[in-house]
Amino acid sequence: MIRIGIEVSRRNLRCDLLVHPGRYFFILLADSRASLCIRTCDSQGENIQAHIIDGFSLTENGNLYSVFEDGINDAILELHDWKMHSCEGDEYPLSPHLVLIISRMPDLVDWIVSSILSDGKNLVIYSVDS
């Protein structure tokens, strides 16, 4: 395995996350539940962890719902038929709809950069094998 580390400013990372969310986010299917995720590692490229990312909004009756749920479910159905997934078979790339949603959520990206990428955690670029 070849490890390549690229240093980038928080501002540039924020911009890249908003412009190219498909490089960092992916859909993880585990225990019959699909979730939007990113992956982090330590400075040596080890201790790789997947982090579930979600955003909630209130419905008219006061209940919370995931703003990503419809896009995730649609992507899983569509991409599963195309056999587009990772070697593990449980990871899927983002649908164009999810890319659009994430690119319109700068506050979510700010939270990821400031909260998840702390304590020596580094963002892992997601790659998919067709």
Side-chain angles (χ1 to χ4, degrees), residues 58-91:
L58 286 172
T59 62
E60 291 177 4
N61 59 1
N63 294 326
L64 291 175
Y65 76 97
S66 170
V67 297
F68 302 119
E69 188 172 348
D70 292 338
I72 288 172
N73 292 332
D74 292 343
I76 290 294
L77 291 173
E78 179 180 318
L79 297 172
H80 188 65
D81 291 338
W82 293 350
K83 306 290 188 253
M84 292 180 65
H85 52 79
S86 69
C87 295
E88 292 82 20
D90 57 357
E91 297 175 5

Side-chain angles (χ1 to χ4, degrees), residues 43 56 101-102:
S43 60
F56 295 95
I101 290 172
I102 294 168

Side-chain angles (χ1 to χ4, degrees), residues 97-116:
H97 179 69
L98 283 172
V99 167
L100 183 62
I101 290 172
I102 294 168
S103 68
R104 292 181 176 173
M105 299 183 82
D107 290 341
L108 174 72
V109 170
D110 288 341
W111 174 77
I112 289 169
V113 171
S114 65
S115 299
I116 293 180

Side-chain angles (χ1 to χ4, degrees), residues 39-59:
R39 190 170 279 125
T40 61
C41 65
D42 63 18
S43 60
Q44 283 76 39
E46 299 172 346
N47 192 25
I48 297 173
Q49 299 175 359
H51 302 268
I52 295 174
I53 305 296
D54 212 337
F56 295 95
S57 183
L58 286 172
T59 62

Side-chain angles (χ1 to χ4, degrees), residues 6 23-24 39 123-127:
I6 301 171
R23 291 181 185 169
Y24 306 96
R39 190 170 279 125
L123 204 52
V124 175
I125 294 175
Y126 174 74
S127 66

